[in-house]
Amino acid sequence: MRILLSLGLVRGLIAQAAGTAFGMALTMAIRVLLGLPAWNAEPVMVAGALVGVISFLVGVGAFTDWFKWVKGEETPMRHGPPEGRPAWTRYLSVDYSHKVIGVQYVVTGIALMLVAGLLAWIFRTELTQPGLQFLDAPTFNTMISAHGIVMIAAILLGVSGMMNYLVPLMIGASDMAFPRLNALGYWVNVPGAILVVAAMFVGGWNTGWTGYPPLSVQSPLGTPLFLLGVYFVGLSSILGAINIIVTILRMRTPGMTLFRMPIFVWASLAASIIQLTGTQLIGLSFLMVVVERVLGMGFFNPNLSPEAIALGSPPGNVLLFQHLFWFYSHPAVYIFVLPGLGIISELLPVFARKPLFGYRWVALSSMAIALVGFLVWAHHMFTAGMDPGLRVPMMYSTLLVAVPTGVKFFSWVATVWQGKLSFPTPMLFVLGAISVFLLGGLSGPPNGTVTTDLFLHDTYWIVGHFHATMFGGFVFPFFAAIYYWFPKVTGRKYNETLGKLHFWLMTPAFWVQTLAQMDVGLKGMRRRIVDYDPALGIETGHLLITIAGFVIGLSILVMLYNLVRSARTGEVAEANPWRSRSPEWQIPSPVPEHSYARPFVVVGDPYDYGLPGSTYIQFAPSGASE
Amino acid sequence: MSTIASTMADYRHQLRNNRLGLWLFFISEAFLFGGLFVSRFYLWGNTRPELDQTLGLTITSILLLSSFFMNRAEMAIAHDDRRTFLNSLLITAALGILFLIGVVGFEWRGHIRPWDGAFGAVLFGMTGMHALHVLSGVIFILIVWNNGRKGHYSSERHWGVEACAIYWHYVDVIWVFFYPALYLMGTVVR
Ligand code: HEM
Ligand SMILES: [Cu+2]
């Protein structure tokens, strides 16, 4: 009990509950003072949610050191597990080690993935037959909306987890540049995710993950909570990006020039640039919807009150939302996939025992994708009634993204070509990722071409497209990374048979799911609709999607079972099971508290596998430091 | 290396990190304010509401003046002149509060209200988001002032002051873009 109450997480949750109640009461009191009726669900809940999130952060202890700075006190950096408490408690409290924070991110991400996956199981069961079975339309709408946004949050957390754990290790930094900010960046996700989940229980919302007005201005009470929850998850992206960029630019070990950085570090840099800048705009657009709901500020309202007409005010415009939203949310897909594609480039040379083909091109292609990605947002608006003059430029810029993406593909193929391949679980997932991402990538250009998109938009084809890109670009590589670095993180081996079982269940099922989604989409199935016309002849397709969805979910449960069991009782792993050249594999597993006892210098290129006499890093002779 | 020299080197290293981090934060915020700025042109086009020009000019001058005092404070601590440093900080904070009074107490009490079409939404959106930043800047200044009063800064070590000063100038520069967008550009609609 005492240990339980000492956990930051528990304190944070209690504080969030208390803070929410306090914020609501305070707002009601202010409303009474202003002569308004005390209860109006919308403003009271929004204020409660905001105070609740801040209270969580205070309660968990994310601000403790900064409060001391405000008072002018010094706060020496503490390392290692907490004193007088079991070591595991550090994972449930504020901890400044990037390795702990990385694990926190990944575990939370997987937990959210399970929540969102469960929702998918439920609404997919509903969709196996036309007509309404056991869900009504509002519940269905809430579930698909929550599925989408919770998965996106899960992906963002997974991405941050990988970057947090791996980037400092790969560049030989002792930790991130701003450890306290790093901890805050992780913890702000937790109350944010709680808001999104809570939104499902206070009326839900029916806008899909995109939250387009005017619907989101009129939709049920869950909407503002969902919008605010996403806002805080976005805040985490921004804080994390600052940290990653400074760490990469300023804390590399001697000899690690930009073009000797691992590809994953390049990908993290590119993804962080998008997170740093773009995220503000989804935040702004969601905030605008919240203030339109709460204060009636008509950013998106096409109707004018008589007073506004008397002032000569122009009306609001819903398209403004879409522009702001997609200016982030298109580049956001590259936040999801760039690190994953980096993992692919990272692991292929290890398992092919060959240098990565075209290192410089691959490194720069991540940057190119990130930059061009900012010029394509309106390809989500071809049917929205925007200025037709934007259509063709956006179409060409969209198709242009295929060039740097193609560079990566060619590099992968050329890397595998004539390699001495071996196929342990991580390699299988890498190859699965490439195959699935190819499918997703090829289904993109038809969406980006105006003429075809007019027919494809808002159909299940799009659902197939982005599931394939997200799975190929994030989920498969993420699992590859989990299996690959599992021995590094835990010091133990995972079970290879179960790992392969996971792969062979998930990959065929995923192919079936995506192809069936695309197929029913082409036959006329709309997105985000609980019912469909049996005359479309898509019942078999829907049945296949549902069955495949269940198999994918089960396979992930197999993985979790494997990971949890192996972390406890797995065989002790050897130091460098993959014969990797990367520095983090040259030190003991699990990584010691201060990762590198001796600093290292970079003397060669990272991926020169199989080249005789090539070295990447050299450790300083012992005793040289300090 | 002696310990003092090594802590000083650590401090300088961290200082460079901090500076970069702060500038990245500014880049990020530029997209937030940029989004609002673009929204103004998207919704208002070539029009603008009638606003109190004297008020606009006054608060703008107050904010610009405050940046001058902020600069003076930073110069003073760099020369270990604690008195000028503390006084200038207080003047900056006072001017910041005056600006806030101008925005919240006068501008927001004009004939335009938040729910009055795109005029209300954009006017309150832009000034509100900016005022929030001014408010946080004032709080930041007061924290720095309080720590300065206790003698926590020296000419060698005053990252807190530097960060506060750049932040203040940054918020000031944002207003230099917002003021003409709200008060000067486009034709007045009556
Ligand atoms: C070169 C490859 C790609 C092209 C040309 C492309 C193009 C498009 C277009 C035009 C749409 C909008 C379709 C519509 O709603 O009518 C779309 C949707 C989407 N794409 Fe891609 N895409 C590509 C790759 C990717 C990648 C790598 C991802 C990353 C995961 C991705 C994620 C998405 C998502 C999430 C949507 C759905 C947005 C929504 O309507 O809710 N796409 N894609
Ligand atoms: Cu897009």
Side-chain angles (χ1 to χ4, degrees):
Chain A
M1 190 65 195
R2 248 197 40 243
I3 287 190
L4 200 65
L5 279 182
S6 74
L7 294 179
L9 178 63
V10 175
R11 294 178 175 206
L13 291 175
I14 295 173
Q16 187 173 11
T20 308
F22 175 73
M24 292 171 79
L26 188 70
T27 319
M28 282 158 68
I30 293 175
R31 286 178 62 86
V32 171
L33 287 181
L34 291 177
L36 298 165
W39 181 256
N40 178 344
E42 190 90 18
V44 172
M45 275 188 24
V46 166
L50 287 175
V51 180
V53 169
I54 296 167
S55 309
F56 179 97
L57 293 172
V58 176
V60 77
F63 288 138
T64 310
D65 277 2
W66 283 320
F67 284 149
K68 290 191 183 148
W69 292 4
V70 163
K71 288 188 278 172
E73 291 167 30
E74 298 268 331
T75 51
M77 188 54 94
R78 247 185 48 78
H79 298 281
E83 280 145 32
R85 280 194 267 149
W88 57 267
T89 57
R90 68 190 300 199
Y91 289 92
L92 297 179
S93 305
V94 169
D95 192 284
Y96 295 146
S97 159
H98 76 99
K99 289 170 291 252
V100 172
I101 294 175
V103 173
Q104 287 174 328
Y105 265 118
V106 169
V107 171
T108 318
I110 293 178
L112 289 183
M113 220 176 256
L114 292 180
V115 173
L118 188 66
L119 292 171
W121 275 7
I122 300 173
F123 69 70
R124 272 317 314 176
T125 311
E126 167 66 43
L127 282 172
T128 37
Q129 285 171 20
L132 300 186
Q133 271 65 248
F134 59 97
L135 291 181
D136 54 9
T139 318
F140 176 87
N141 291 340
T142 297
M143 283 184 162
I144 53 119
S145 307
H147 166 75
I149 200 67
V150 174
M151 277 299 183
I152 287 173
I155 294 178
L156 286 172
L157 285 163
V159 164
S160 297
M162 292 195 290
M163 297 201 296
N164 254 289
Y165 196 92
L166 295 176
V167 166
L169 285 178
M170 285 180 164
I171 64 173
S174 56
D175 206 310
M176 297 279 264
F178 311 114
R180 295 175 180 86
L181 192 68
N182 202 19
L184 175 66
Y186 164 71
W187 282 104
V188 73
N189 285 294
V190 178
I194 288 176
L195 285 190
V196 176
V197 174
M200 283 196 273
F201 298 99
V202 292
W205 75 104
N206 52 18
T207 61
W209 74 275
T210 48
Y212 275 15
L215 185 56
S216 57
V217 177
Q218 300 151 7
S219 55
L221 203 55
T223 319
L225 293 191
F226 141 68
L227 296 169
L228 288 176
V230 176
Y231 188 84
F232 286 108
V233 174
L235 197 61
S236 158
S237 282
I238 296 172
L239 302 181
I242 293 178
N243 233 325
I244 294 276
I245 297 177
V246 176
T247 307
I248 294 176
L249 292 185
R250 296 258 319 130
M251 299 179 65
R252 298 193 307 276
T253 196
M256 185 170 287
T257 54
L258 284 179
F259 283 108
R260 278 177 174 173
M261 295 194 309
I263 291 293
F264 181 75
V265 178
W266 271 101
S268 302
L269 186 61
S272 299
I273 292 174
I274 303 174
Q275 286 186 305
L276 180 76
T277 54
T279 312
Q280 291 281 6
L281 291 155
I282 190 182
L284 177 64
S285 65
F286 277 18
L287 220 51
M288 282 171 159
V289 175
V290 173
V291 292
E292 176 152 350
R293 289 178 66 106
V294 177
L295 303 173
M297 291 166 65
F299 288 106
F300 312 121
N301 186 352
N303 305 315
L304 289 172
S305 65
E307 291 90 342
I309 294 174
L311 283 171
S313 168
N317 188 336
V318 287
L319 287 183
L320 172 64
F321 177 91
Q322 297 187 24
H323 281 300
L324 294 175
F325 178 84
W326 286 114
F327 189 80
Y328 163 77
S329 294
H330 179 80
V333 304
Y334 301 121
I335 304 174
F336 309 152
V337 302
L338 283 178
L341 304 185
I343 296 284
I344 299 178
S345 301
E346 199 66 43
L347 300 199
L348 270 187
V350 179
F351 294 111
R353 309 310 302 165
K354 268 184 62 196
L356 179 70
F357 187 85
Y359 166 88
R360 264 174 196 255
W361 287 91
V362 178
L364 291 176
S365 72
S366 296
M367 286 299 178
I369 291 177
L371 297 182
V372 181
F374 275 111
L375 305 176
V376 307
W377 75 92
H379 67 211
H380 295 271
M381 300 166 61
F382 286 151
T383 62
M386 66 170 181
D387 179 0
L390 264 178
R391 278 181 167 181
V392 172
M394 286 294 166
M395 168 170 126
Y396 280 114
S397 56
T398 301
L399 299 179
L400 195 66
V401 182
V403 176
T405 318
V407 166
K408 289 192 190 289
F409 262 102
F410 287 125
S411 154
W412 296 333
V413 173
T415 304
V416 177
W417 194 254
Q418 295 191 330
K420 292 197 206 67
L421 302 184
S422 58
F423 299 97
T425 309
M427 177 61 160
L428 290 179
F429 274 96
V430 165
L431 296 176
I434 296 177
S435 78
V436 170
F437 191 67
L438 184 64
L439 176 67
L442 290 181
S443 61
N447 308 341
T449 311
V450 181
T451 38
T452 35
D453 185 60
L454 296 183
F455 296 92
L456 298 172
H457 178 65
D458 256 353
T459 67
Y460 246 65
W461 165 273
I462 301 295
V463 177
H465 159 70
F466 69 74
H467 278 83
T469 46
M470 303 272 193
F471 266 71
F474 173 77
V475 178
F476 276 79
F478 181 54
F479 290 164
I482 289 181
Y483 284 113
Y484 182 82
W485 276 284
F486 183 81
K488 186 85 270 172
V489 178
T490 62
R492 290 178 191 273
K493 286 185 191 162
Y494 61 87
N495 181 314
E496 193 65 53
T497 321
L498 286 178
K500 292 210 162 107
L501 178 68
H502 172 197
F503 176 80
W504 288 112
L505 282 176
M506 186 166 124
T507 311
F510 186 80
W511 272 85
V512 170
Q513 179 186 294
T514 299
L515 290 176
Q517 282 172 337
M518 292 178 177
D519 178 59
V520 299
L522 291 179
K523 287 177 180 155
M525 178 68 197
R526 315 284 302 166
R527 290 172 78 172
R528 298 171 173 161
I529 300 283
V530 64
D531 190 9
Y532 49 90
D533 188 348
L536 292 174
I538 52 176
E539 281 170 72
T540 327
H542 270 298
L543 185 63
L544 285 176
I545 301 173
T546 306
I547 295 174
F550 272 89
V551 175
I552 294 170
L554 286 177
S555 76
I556 291 173
L557 294 182
V558 171
M559 172 183 84
L560 293 183
Y561 170 76
N562 186 358
L563 297 183
V564 171
R565 216 188 62 152
S566 305
R568 294 205 186 154
T569 59
E571 221 181 299
V572 173
E574 52 211 284
N576 188 357
W578 315 116
R579 293 186 293 137
S580 164
R581 293 158 55 95
S582 199
E584 79 274 15
W585 288 104
Q586 321 307 326
I587 52 175
S589 308
V591 185
E593 186 71 34
H594 297 272
S595 315
Y596 295 101
R598 289 181 283 147
F600 62 85
V601 289
V602 174
V603 294
D605 291 320
Y607 300 108
D608 284 348
Y609 286 95
L611 301 189
S614 69
T615 30
Y616 178 33
I617 59 162
Q618 258 168 14
F619 283 98
S622 58
S625 71
E626 293 173 55
Chain B
M1 256 193 259
S2 78
T3 353
I4 292 174
S6 100
T7 41
M8 209 50 214
D10 278 355
Y11 177 77
R12 278 201 209 99
H13 182 81
Q14 187 66 39
L15 185 65
R16 304 252 285 280
N17 287 359
N18 290 352
R19 281 191 188 133
L20 180 59
L22 191 64
W23 279 101
L24 290 174
F25 175 70
F26 289 161
I27 293 176
S28 178
E29 292 272 286
F31 276 73
L32 168 65
F33 291 115
L36 282 165
F37 196 72
V38 169
S39 303
R40 179 254 177 254
F41 287 98
Y42 195 82
L43 293 179
W44 289 9
N46 200 24
T47 62
R48 69 179 154 90
E50 195 175 4
L51 295 170
D52 184 343
Q53 291 294 341
T54 329
L55 179 64
L57 198 60
T58 315
I59 55 177
T60 307
S61 324
I62 291 176
L63 203 61
L64 289 180
L65 193 64
S66 77
S67 250
F68 165 76
F69 281 99
M70 189 40 127
N71 190 46
R72 201 169 86 139
E74 203 187 348
M75 294 311 264
I77 194 66
H79 292 99
D80 281 318
D81 177 356
R82 288 253 321 269
R83 262 180 62 107
T84 319
F85 164 63
L86 291 174
N87 289 340
S88 308
L89 273 185
L90 277 189
I91 297 173
T92 314
L95 290 172
I97 291 170
L98 265 184
F99 174 85
L100 284 176
I101 293 175
V103 171
V104 179
F106 292 92
E107 193 186 42
W108 286 10
R109 303 261 163 119
H111 59 301
I112 298 177
R113 288 154 318 148
W115 41 87
D116 287 338
F119 275 168
V122 170
L123 178 68
F124 279 79
M126 286 173 78
T127 53
M129 187 53 85
H130 183 259
L132 216 58
H133 281 76
V134 174
L135 181 66
S136 62
V138 169
I139 295 173
F140 197 175
I141 293 177
L142 292 179
I143 292 170
V144 169
W145 174 78
N146 187 39
N147 282 337
R149 210 172 41 100
K150 296 191 215 153
H152 283 301
Y153 304 112
S154 66
S155 51
E156 273 126 53
R157 278 180 182 244
H158 55 267
W159 161 244
V161 184
E162 182 185 330
C164 181
I166 316 177
Y167 182 70
W168 190 257
H169 296 319
Y170 180 75
V171 174
D172 204 0
V173 168
I174 298 295
W175 186 252
V176 171
F177 285 91
F178 274 21
Y179 168 65
L182 292 173
Y183 280 84
L184 303 180
M185 294 161 95
T187 39
V188 180
V189 185
R190 273 172 231 273

